[in-house]
Amino acid sequence: MAIRKIAQIGHPVLRQVARDISREELITPETQQLVDDLVETMRDADGAGLAAIQIYEPIRLCAIEVRDNPRYPYKPKIPLTILVNPVLTPVGDERFDNNEGCLSVPNLRGVVQRYVHLRVQAWDRLGNPIDEVVHGLKAGTYQHEVDHLDGKIFVDRADPMTFSTWTEFERHHKAAFVEQVQQLVARVGS
Ligand code: ZN
């Protein structure tokens, strides 16, 4: 396994639309190695998710995981999930304000409107089908990662008036956001 370099905003790869991947390509040793590297890179950087395009591999594949995360201590846990060729479909039109950061955007956070309930259809890393409905912060994380596969970054969707450095988020916005998150989790789970 290897820790890869993470592309930073301004690098053109982050604006590419990633391509679908076939089952045959998915199960090759090269792609399985890429998945291992993606997970290791995400964990090393304390990310809650990482898309392959962020490590310069423009294929439709991303990793999501929340353990005890110092970047996002308020996030409910998410077991390691690999999504291949994911398709997201909102369930209902309810949205919530999600305060997001990104490993490709240094020292910036902002508020993005995300769907509260989301159907996720994808493959896992072995090509087995995934079809589930996710909610709340977990749904927000899925939307953030799948945006990367379409060349989108959270700053495209955020209200610029909400932009904040990580330090100013801690000082001025975290308490209110955590309270809002706790209410959301109590209502819809994760
Ligand atoms: Zn990101």
Side-chain angles (χ1 to χ4, degrees), residues 33-50:
Q33 179 68 57
L34 166 65
V35 174
D36 287 341
D37 290 355
L38 187 68
V39 172
E40 190 177 11
T41 305
M42 173 180 70
R43 288 176 173 166
D44 178 71
D46 292 322
L50 192 64

Side-chain angles (χ1 to χ4, degrees), residues 46-49 64-79 96 98-102 109 114 135-145 166 169 174 177-178 181-182 184-185 189-190:
D46 292 322
I64 294 163
E65 182 185 47
V66 178
R67 302 192 284 186
D68 289 321
N69 191 319
R71 273 168 69 91
Y72 303 99
Y74 49 82
K75 272 190 188 253
K77 307 255 187 305
I78 304 175
F96 72 105
N98 199 25
N99 193 300
E100 303 187 7
C102 179
R109 299 184 60 130
R114 298 294 191 188
H135 311 278
L137 252 60
K138 186 175 181 180
T141 302
Y142 278 46
Q143 287 163 86
H144 178 114
E145 295 312 322
W166 283 67
F169 171 76
K174 184 178 173 183
F177 180 60
V178 168
V181 162
Q182 286 166 346
L184 182 69
V185 170
S190 63

Side-chain angles (χ1 to χ4, degrees), residues 114 142-153 157:
R114 298 294 191 188
Y142 278 46
Q143 287 163 86
H144 178 114
E145 295 312 322
V146 173
D147 269 355
H148 278 301
L149 307 184
D150 293 323
K152 289 211 163 16
I153 304 175
R157 299 193 187 278

